[in-house]
Amino acid sequence: SQTIHQWPATLVQPVGSPLSLECTVEGTSNPNLYWYRQAAGRGLQLLFYSVGIGQISSEVPQNLSASRPQDRQFILSSKKLLLSDSGFYLCAWRRLELGTQYFGPGTRLLVL
Amino acid sequence: QKEVEQNSGPLSVPEGAIASLNCTYSDRVSQSFFWYRQYSGKSPELIMSIYSNGDKEDGRFTAQLNKASQYVSLLIRDSQPSDSATYLCAADFGNEKLTFGTGTRLTIIP
């Protein structure tokens, strides 16, 4: 069976500090991978997605970046965090043959 | 712009009644639709997928798709307090990603 991991689960960072969030998927190969952010009480905002190693599509211009160094690894980064980067960050993978998408447990980020 | 729209609610339903959640979408090309449940503080969980017109039942959940009218709905029978959550509708517009609605918050009143 497939599982998706995210870490850390929670993170408190000062403004201006760097960020690295990691997502890994087990039990599948060549999945589409996605990063979303959800502000408190709001909907899902798609940040980045990847259809393969090294292939990144950005949905919203901002101070975040994403990388996919391995088939089942997806990393979200920032060089300098802003207060507005606070939120619930969700990684997801997609089963292409059915189109179904599954979310990881998420990372709750608070920027102070 | 390809969109998915949901009534944000909140929707309150008495325990044991049928909860009806609705979603409309903007693109007739869409073939696949999905319902997710998100408990407060947790990540969304896939509960139903539907690919063809008509009804699809899974336990207490029924998804209904009407492509001509461009809407998809989720019915929850015999609603339980544990069904209280935000429900997200999503559509596959064939562009490598799902488009999500903003979600409907459902509260089941004991």
Side-chain angles (χ1 to χ4, degrees):
Chain A
S1 63
Q2 299 81 20
T3 55
I4 179 169
H5 304 279
Q6 286 186 249
W7 61 89
T10 59
L11 193 58
V12 180
Q13 292 284 95
V15 170
S17 64
L19 174 74
S20 181
L21 302 180
E22 188 165 344
C23 169
T24 59
V25 181
E26 296 178 355
T28 187
S29 58
N30 197 30
N32 279 13
L33 297 173
Y34 305 84
W35 278 113
Y36 293 85
R37 177 171 60 201
Q38 190 174 39
R42 306 295 294 273
L44 295 171
Q45 180 186 31
L46 179 61
L47 302 175
F48 301 94
Y49 68 95
S50 171
V51 300
I53 295 174
Q55 300 180 63
I56 307 295
S57 296
S58 174
E59 289 292 298
V60 183
Q62 55 207 319
N63 69 319
L64 299 172
S65 62
S67 62
R68 185 170 177 176
Q70 299 180 44
D71 182 44
R72 289 169 287 179
Q73 184 184 32
F74 205 22
I75 297 172
L76 183 69
S77 303
S78 174
K79 293 182 179 178
K80 288 187 177 182
L81 285 169
L82 306 173
L83 286 174
S84 57
D85 290 324
S86 294
F88 191 33
Y89 286 81
L90 292 157
C91 181
W93 74 276
R94 194 159 179 217
R95 186 193 296 273
L96 296 179
E97 61 273 22
L98 295 175
T100 47
Q101 181 169 302
Y102 302 91
F103 288 87
T107 294
R108 199 162 299 280
L109 172 66
L110 178 60
V111 182
L112 300 175
Chain B
Q1 184 79 2
K2 299 180 179 180
E3 296 181 334
V4 173
E5 295 191 1
Q6 295 181 255
N7 186 326
S8 61
L11 176 66
S12 296
V13 173
E15 183 176 357
I18 296 175
S20 178
L21 302 160
N22 299 310
C23 171
T24 58
Y25 58 94
S26 62
D27 191 327
R28 291 183 177 273
V29 175
S30 297
Q31 297 296 318
S32 307
F33 303 87
F34 308 91
W35 283 100
Y36 288 80
R37 177 177 62 200
Q38 186 176 23
Y39 292 116
S40 180
K42 301 295 185 181
S43 63
E45 171 193 13
L46 178 67
I47 55 173
M48 289 287 284
S49 58
I50 187 165
Y51 305 98
S52 56
N53 274 329
D55 295 359
K56 178 181 178 182
E57 188 174 316
D58 184 1
R60 295 186 297 111
F61 298 96
T62 299
Q64 299 176 319
L65 174 59
N66 184 322
K67 291 188 178 182
S69 300
Q70 294 178 228
Y71 82 79
V72 58
S73 61
L74 180 70
L75 302 178
I76 307 175
R77 291 183 300 282
D78 188 23
S79 297
Q80 303 296 310
S82 59
D83 295 325
S84 296
T86 296
Y87 289 80
L88 300 165
C89 173
D92 179 1
F93 290 124
N95 54 358
E96 302 285 0
K97 57 193 176 184
L98 294 183
T99 300
F100 284 85
T102 53
T104 299
R105 197 171 75 204
L106 173 66
T107 300
I108 306 301
I109 304 169

